[in-house]
Amino acid sequence: MSIEVLTLLFFGALLFFLVLGLPLAFVLGGVSVVFLYFTWGFDSFFMVASQIWSTMESFTLVAIPLFVYMAMILERTGVANDLYRMMHLWWGGVRGGLAIGTLGICALFAAMCGISGAAVVAMGTIALPSMLERGYDKNMALGCINTGGGWGILIPPSILMILYALITGVSVGKMFAAGVLPGLLLMVLTIAYIIIRCYFQPHLAPALPPEERASWAEKFRALRAVILPIAIVIMVLGSIIGGITTPTEAAAVGVFGALISAVVYRKFTWKLLHEASIRTFKLTGMIMWILFAAHAFSAAYQSMGAQELIEGLMQMIPGGPWGVILSMMLIIFLLAMVLDPVGIMLITLPVFMPIVESLGFDPIWFGILFVINMEIGYMTPPFGFNLFYLKGVVPPNITMRDIYLSIIPFVLVEIVGLALIMIFPEIATYLPDLFF
Amino acid sequence: ADTTTWKVQSHWPGSSSSYEDSLGRLKRVIEERSDGRLKLDLYESGALFKPKQTFEAVSRGILEMGTISPSYAQDKMTLAGIASGLPFAFRNVWETAYFHQGLGFEQMLRDEAAQYGVYWATDKVYPTEMVIKNPINSWEDFTKLKIRSSGALQKFLTEAGAAASYIPGSELYPALDSGVVDGAHWGAAQGAYSMGLYEVAKYHVKPALNIAGTDVIIVSQKALDKLPEDLQNIVKQALDEQFWFRTNEYQYKERVTLAKAIAEEDVQVNTLPEDVQQRLTQTAQKMWDEEGERSERAQKALTMLKDYLTELGYL
Amino acid sequence: MRALTAFMNGVTRLNDFIGRWVALLVFAMFIFLLLEVCFRYLMNSPTVWTNELTQMLFGVYAIMSGGYIMAHRGHVNVDLLYSHLGPRVQACLDVFTSTMFFAFTLALFYFGYDMASQSVASWETSYSAWNPPIWPVKVAIPLGTGLLVLQGVVKLLEDIAIAFNLDYYKPESREAEQEDML
Ligand SMILES: NC(=[NH2+])NCCC[C@H](N)C(=O)O
Ligand code: NA
Ligand code: NA
């Protein structure tokens, strides 16, 4: 059977069982096993077990339970809620203030952590209830967490950039430097979107009613709420930048900070630790089983000859250098609807990179486009990690439909950002050229 | 005629020079000499199996071919420790090459791997060298170092008095950049260059920590047996040639890469002071004996190695 | 029928019990990573064991979570169509899609068992600088998957009961139970 037909059947089966309501992890795993049986034979199931073992052995994933644990403790102690109360008091007059504040916290999280799942789960736990409680529209709240949570792979440090560098041979340092301005650009664009949208539709993100707005004394008193979170951020970021810890170890420093705040808030009890542990276990486990199956799925797809398909597609592409770049973006965008980022990299980059370079484009710049596209992929239906991570933490009355719908404007904003970086490559290349 | 296609799982990422130079070459040679009757489908590191699982997959015959480092097969191969390089044993690459091919260590490896249905062929022998952020000018400088290392070398560096810790490759660059560690080894010049380590660590340390057959091509015996005899010979011959060709070419590229790093990135070669070298060698020799204890085979290989080093005048 | 109900409750309780203990490993991971930072940065003597031990605990932690999360309905799905269906239709669909669940988990169990028994046969160690036994982590694969399979069987029995109106399982009892399980 040709790879084109296989691809259709493979992804078709994925969608079919997804729509029927089987949990994502089992859809990915089950479809892989069935297709492996017909294309490679029974013995190839060993590959599934082997991929899972390798995922268990991946040290960088240790950051997930720790960052989630940190968030759970912060939420239970009330630090998170105080933080949002403070934001509301100060930004009371600004429509969408909490959403903007959330994006800021997302950006900080992104600077502490090289992966994207932990931030989505953490913000889904901390920020979502706070925003909903204060009358925010659920689409606004969900969408901004979804989009901000993905920045972890664009703002350095970033595991995905390191992998990109390893596969393509560009400098990691340059990639990191290149990610900073595009990260800020996306943040500015998203904030601009929120401000404009909420200006016209105030009910989406209501400002604090004038009579409830605080006096200056109250505002300053509320500021105490930021002391602890800021101290934690300084601890975590400082330990990475100061050469004290690796990004993964920094997650443990974050937990330490959260525990200190628990003590300061006089909430430090065995019960708190246990409850936070259990919630962390549920969320991390959910993420990990999706990753287990996703790794098996992309390995299965590669074994069927995914790369051949990409090679074939590239030969049919029309229209000059920009036609090629745009087609590549489209292919990545489509693949990102159903595959995990590492799988996409392994399938596409070996085919794309020689072409990109022969057309005279900067591989660093292309890398940034690639990473942003992955970020978009994280939140596009049907299959986007962020969507599922978020689904795992939201209250039951929020459905997958809500989550799917919430991302539409935010995806458009990211696409605008992507287009801007395509048109003005300097946004990506300015810093690396300056520093290296 | 029938064409056979083999799945080949690499332990090199695509940007590693060896992916093209070793596997790309092998693919060209085999496909050309077999008139296209045997084709190799190459997969980048981790695509189907992660590096540590590749030996097992080849052994089960799920993969027909793969590349590994001997250390990834430690649990099966008692010779793996010696194959992946005892620290401060050889001083020149040709010595290691002769140990493998002239004295029969390669055959010993092949015999041990055969027990698992695997045909073992060392891709090349080459040095593993460190890059560091500040030069080592004294024993004290060395013991103050925090070094990213792995496996036997980590134990060795720790025992010698440095602070060696394992950091996965994906976090190596930021760790070195921010100073979590002051030094690391990732292959030698080419490895360091491909990981961008020279951007953040400007001293390349000589001599090598070890020189060894760190890259290996493994073939499933079952797959090999299924081929007609002439194809089997083509494969085996290509692998035999590969060792000599790649060992030589790799040294050439090492030199070129180091020269480039010196010119472009202001890298300096830091030759360890005589007394530091001596103390490191002493520590290393104490560790060699442990590797011999793993099996009779390993003991035999170790004795052979020691006799050889004595003959060379190093012991 | 009573045996069936007992089996279902037993498996769910077992998963719950195990999950509650395994969940605490996150605290251990935190401690060990923090220790390593202290050892390396404050005393300039990194250990060979902390990061690797953390890694091993994480592996066990992740794989053992499957059954517990299933017992708590924590594996996420797409409810676009699903949420609009009645409980009996949902149950019928679940019976059908469980083929995929079992294809995956049984394949994993079979080869995980294979991997683990080989590892146990040689008391496999990691051959790192620390060189700890690695077989217990590999054993966790068939163990964790086995618990997940069992919970999957329970889920299948529940779905069959709902689909065919059988009386060995009452959906309501389950809802009440979930509340106090957190
Ligand atoms: N030729 C290479 N790039 N080799 C990479 C070797 C990596 C190996 N893990 C080390 O610790 O050094
Ligand atoms: Na980041
Ligand atoms: Na997606």
Side-chain angles (χ1 to χ4, degrees):
Chain A
M1 204 182 288
S2 76
I3 177 64
E4 287 81 9
V5 179
L6 266 178
T7 300
L8 281 180
L9 288 176
F10 194 50
F11 293 157
L14 181 78
L15 291 185
F16 178 72
F17 284 100
L18 216 48
V19 168
L20 290 190
L22 181 66
L24 176 68
F26 310 136
V27 176
L28 288 166
V31 171
S32 314
V33 164
V34 170
F35 276 73
L36 277 175
Y37 180 79
F38 289 109
T39 57
W40 197 355
F42 179 78
D43 283 341
S44 68
F45 294 174
F46 174 70
M47 190 172 80
V48 175
S50 158
Q51 283 289 345
I52 284 166
W53 168 246
S54 304
T55 313
M56 288 163 70
E57 276 199 311
S58 159
F59 184 68
T60 49
L61 293 177
V62 174
I64 295 180
L66 293 175
F67 273 125
V68 171
Y69 198 40
M70 173 181 98
M72 294 301 151
I73 295 171
L74 288 179
E75 196 233 358
R76 284 283 144 129
T77 51
V79 177
N81 199 32
D82 283 1
L83 183 64
Y84 273 84
R85 206 177 77 88
M86 181 283 297
M87 282 203 267
H88 219 198
L89 286 180
W90 274 82
W91 298 41
V94 183
R95 293 167 190 167
L98 290 188
I100 294 169
T102 302
L103 289 176
I105 300 175
C106 282
L108 280 176
F109 223 102
M112 304 195 284
C113 173
I115 47 185
S116 120
V120 180
V121 167
M123 295 317 290
T125 312
I126 294 176
L128 189 70
S130 299
M131 283 192 277
L132 294 180
E133 223 169 82
R134 292 168 178 82
Y136 271 54
D137 175 61
K138 36 180 190 195
N139 283 351
M140 181 55 81
L142 290 169
C144 93
I145 292 171
N146 224 322
T147 206
W151 293 343
I153 54 171
L154 179 61
I155 299 176
S158 159
I159 297 297
L160 211 57
M161 284 187 185
I162 293 175
L163 279 176
Y164 179 86
L166 263 185
I167 294 177
T168 61
V170 303
S171 141
V172 183
K174 283 189 187 174
M175 276 303 286
F176 279 8
V180 176
L181 290 182
L184 288 177
L185 174 71
L186 288 186
M187 187 161 116
V188 169
L189 287 177
T190 315
I191 288 176
Y193 160 74
I194 291 174
I195 291 179
I196 294 170
R197 178 101 195 259
C198 296
Y199 178 80
F200 290 108
Q201 295 173 291
H203 64 278
L204 293 180
L208 210 56
E211 63 277 12
E212 283 175 37
R213 287 191 196 153
S215 67
W216 283 102
E218 265 181 287
K219 282 188 186 174
F220 279 104
R221 232 176 299 127
L223 263 192
R224 281 185 318 191
V226 291
I227 297 175
L228 283 171
I230 286 187
I232 296 176
V233 168
I234 292 175
M235 270 170 77
V236 175
L237 274 184
S239 68
I240 296 175
I241 296 167
I244 300 172
T245 70
T246 63
T248 301
E249 290 165 344
V253 177
V255 174
F256 187 61
L259 288 179
I260 292 179
S261 8
V263 173
V264 173
Y265 269 64
R266 298 174 198 281
K267 291 274 175 60
F268 186 87
T269 59
W270 165 245
K271 187 158 170 273
L272 172 105
L273 284 187
H274 196 189
E275 282 178 7
S277 308
I278 293 221
R279 295 187 63 200
T280 305
F281 185 53
K282 276 191 192 164
L283 295 172
T284 309
M286 174 206 64
I287 294 183
M288 286 306 297
W289 275 87
I290 294 177
L291 284 180
F292 286 156
H295 289 164
F297 186 82
S298 50
Y301 188 44
Q302 290 182 65
S303 78
M304 291 178 218
Q307 218 168 68
E308 225 177 283
L309 175 79
I310 303 298
E311 275 164 17
L313 283 177
M314 287 317 291
Q315 261 147 32
M316 308 183 330
I317 282 172
W322 283 99
V324 172
I325 294 286
L326 288 174
S327 315
M328 285 177 176
M329 289 294 123
L330 186 69
I331 292 175
I332 297 170
F333 179 82
L334 292 176
L335 285 178
M337 288 181 143
V338 281
L339 282 180
D340 76 293
V342 178
I344 296 173
M345 278 190 168
L346 285 170
I347 293 169
T348 59
L349 290 184
V351 184
F352 286 177
M353 287 324 286
I355 303 177
V356 168
E357 277 169 45
S358 75
L359 291 175
F361 289 110
D362 183 348
I364 299 273
W365 167 79
F366 185 78
I368 296 299
L369 298 184
F370 186 90
V371 171
I372 296 179
N373 218 331
M374 286 299 106
E375 247 178 71
I376 297 175
Y378 270 136
M379 52 178 195
T380 50
F383 176 96
F385 283 102
N386 288 2
L387 303 167
F388 288 94
Y389 297 162
L390 200 52
K391 178 77 184 343
V393 290
V394 295
N397 61 336
I398 291 179
T399 65
M400 203 67 191
R401 205 181 114 86
D402 295 329
I403 298 179
Y404 280 175
L405 287 178
S406 72
I407 57 113
I408 295 172
F410 292 91
V411 168
L412 291 177
V413 169
E414 295 230 340
I415 291 177
V416 170
L418 190 69
L420 283 176
I421 295 165
M422 277 191 190
I423 301 169
F424 306 106
E426 295 78 19
I427 301 171
T429 57
Y430 177 72
L431 283 184
D433 288 348
L434 192 66
F435 286 133
F436 292 92
Chain B
D2 286 349
T3 58
T4 311
T5 305
W6 280 6
K7 287 188 169 70
V8 185
Q9 173 64 66
S10 161
H11 73 306
W12 297 296
S15 73
S16 168
S17 61
S18 288
Y19 187 80
E20 213 17 65
D21 295 349
S22 282
L23 268 184
R25 173 181 190 278
L26 192 65
K27 177 180 160 80
R28 271 194 309 281
V29 169
I30 288 180
E31 290 182 355
E32 203 173 283
R33 291 189 193 163
S34 68
D35 284 325
R37 284 187 297 147
L38 178 57
K39 291 179 60 174
L40 305 186
D41 273 353
L42 307 186
Y43 293 89
E44 285 195 31
S45 176
L48 305 180
F49 289 93
K50 295 286 183 299
K52 283 188 188 165
Q53 293 284 302
T54 304
F55 186 88
E56 179 74 29
V58 170
S59 161
R60 287 166 178 261
I62 299 166
L63 287 174
E64 287 84 6
M65 193 190 253
T67 67
I68 59 166
S69 282
S71 59
Y72 301 151
Q74 287 268 23
D75 53 326
K76 305 268 175 11
M77 301 281 296
T78 64
L79 291 177
I82 298 174
S84 46
L86 300 181
F88 286 86
F90 301 114
R91 300 187 186 177
N92 299 290
V93 170
W94 66 262
E95 294 162 4
T96 319
Y98 188 77
F99 180 62
H100 272 252
Q101 307 290 358
L103 294 179
F105 184 56
E106 183 75 11
Q107 191 56 48
M108 292 177 74
L109 285 164
R110 202 161 281 177
D111 291 342
E112 186 165 44
Q115 297 174 340
Y116 301 97
V118 171
Y119 183 85
W120 182 287
T122 301
D123 178 57
K124 57 180 171 287
V125 294
Y126 65 93
T128 294
E129 290 165 3
M130 248 188 329
V131 295
I132 49 181
K133 289 168 82 93
N134 299 303
I136 301 174
N137 292 319
S138 65
W139 181 248
E140 222 210 324
D141 286 346
F142 172 77
T143 53
K144 270 197 306 214
L145 281 184
K146 285 185 265 200
I147 305 170
R148 179 272 173 198
S149 180
S150 62
L153 284 178
Q154 185 186 350
K155 203 150 87 185
F156 162 66
L157 292 168
T158 307
E159 218 132 297
S165 51
Y166 173 74
I167 293 170
S170 55
E171 297 202 3
L172 176 50
Y173 179 97
L176 200 53
D177 185 22
S178 63
V180 172
V181 289
D182 326 292
H185 58 81
W186 190 272
Q190 293 176 71
Y193 194 90
S194 74
M195 294 281 283
L197 304 186
Y198 289 128
E199 292 167 20
V200 287
K202 298 291 183 195
Y203 294 89
H204 182 106
V205 180
K206 296 261 185 182
L209 294 174
N210 69 34
I211 303 174
T214 315
D215 290 328
V216 183
I217 296 167
I218 50 178
V219 186
S220 151
Q221 189 65 47
K222 208 160 72 181
L224 204 53
D225 290 341
K226 268 194 220 145
L227 295 178
E229 194 137 344
D230 65 320
L231 283 188
Q232 289 189 24
N233 285 333
I234 287 173
V235 171
K236 288 185 182 173
Q237 222 162 52
L239 288 172
D240 281 347
E241 288 171 24
Q242 175 98 352
F243 177 91
W244 296 106
F245 183 86
R246 285 292 292 143
T247 295
N248 189 239
E249 185 188 47
Y250 199 82
Q251 268 196 289
Y252 156 74
K253 292 208 163 175
E254 274 297 307
R255 183 57 230 175
V256 172
T257 309
L258 188 55
K260 195 158 69 171
I262 290 171
E264 287 173 6
E265 311 252 12
D266 292 324
V267 169
Q268 293 181 29
V269 172
N270 174 214
T271 307
L272 295 176
E274 199 55 42
D275 63 311
V276 174
Q277 287 194 38
Q278 251 164 30
R279 292 177 78 158
L280 287 176
T281 310
Q282 279 165 12
T283 312
Q285 287 175 358
K286 275 184 240 141
M287 288 183 56
W288 295 354
D289 291 326
E290 283 173 35
E291 281 304 331
E293 283 157 20
R294 286 202 56 193
S295 70
E296 233 167 83
R297 250 200 194 88
Q299 193 58 58
K300 203 175 128 210
L302 186 64
T303 311
M304 186 168 92
L305 175 71
K306 283 185 172 171
D307 290 348
Y308 177 50
L309 291 174
T310 311
E311 196 187 356
L312 293 174
Y314 299 158
L315 279 186
Chain C
M1 282 300 157
R2 205 167 299 134
L4 216 50
T5 313
F7 165 78
M8 289 163 65
N9 289 337
V11 167
T12 306
R13 267 197 216 116
L14 178 68
N15 264 318
D16 195 55
F17 176 80
I18 293 176
R20 283 173 162 266
W21 284 100
V22 176
L24 298 180
L25 288 181
V26 71
F27 197 76
M29 290 185 246
F30 154 64
I31 295 287
F32 289 133
L33 279 187
L34 206 60
L35 266 182
E36 173 67 9
V37 173
C38 294
F39 280 135
R40 188 182 58 227
Y41 189 73
L42 300 178
M43 302 183 233
N44 203 35
S45 61
T47 64
V48 292
W49 57 273
T50 41
N51 281 9
E52 197 176 358
L53 181 59
T54 308
Q55 165 96 73
M56 289 164 67
L57 292 178
F58 172 72
V60 173
Y61 181 80
I63 198 87
M64 294 298 287
S65 68
Y68 177 82
I69 293 172
M70 183 123 187
H72 289 266
R73 314 268 156 138
H75 290 290
V76 289
N77 66 347
V78 174
D79 53 14
L80 279 185
L81 171 73
Y82 194 77
S83 57
H84 296 287
L85 305 171
R88 286 190 68 180
V89 185
Q90 280 187 353
C92 289
L93 270 185
D94 287 350
V95 172
F96 169 65
T97 56
S98 71
T99 47
M100 284 289 138
F101 170 85
F102 287 112
F104 173 49
T105 50
L106 288 177
L108 183 53
F109 182 76
Y110 182 90
F111 279 93
Y113 180 81
D114 201 43
M115 222 178 197
S117 54
Q118 271 196 24
S119 179
V120 170
S122 62
W123 304 114
E124 186 182 356
T125 60
S126 78
Y127 293 99
S128 63
W130 178 35
N131 198 19
I134 197 96
W135 59 265
V137 188
K138 282 204 175 157
V139 167
I141 300 180
L143 212 61
T145 315
L147 285 168
L148 176 60
V149 170
L150 282 178
Q151 197 65 50
V153 172
V154 171
K155 171 90 171 54
L156 182 64
L157 289 172
E158 288 176 11
D159 289 329
I160 292 175
I162 298 171
F164 299 101
N165 259 330
L166 303 178
D167 64 358
Y168 61 82
Y169 169 70
K170 297 265 176 295
E172 313 82 59
S173 63
R174 166 91 224 186
E175 302 287 312
E177 205 176 325
Q178 256 196 325
E179 288 307 307
D180 57 53
M181 274 203 241
L182 201 116

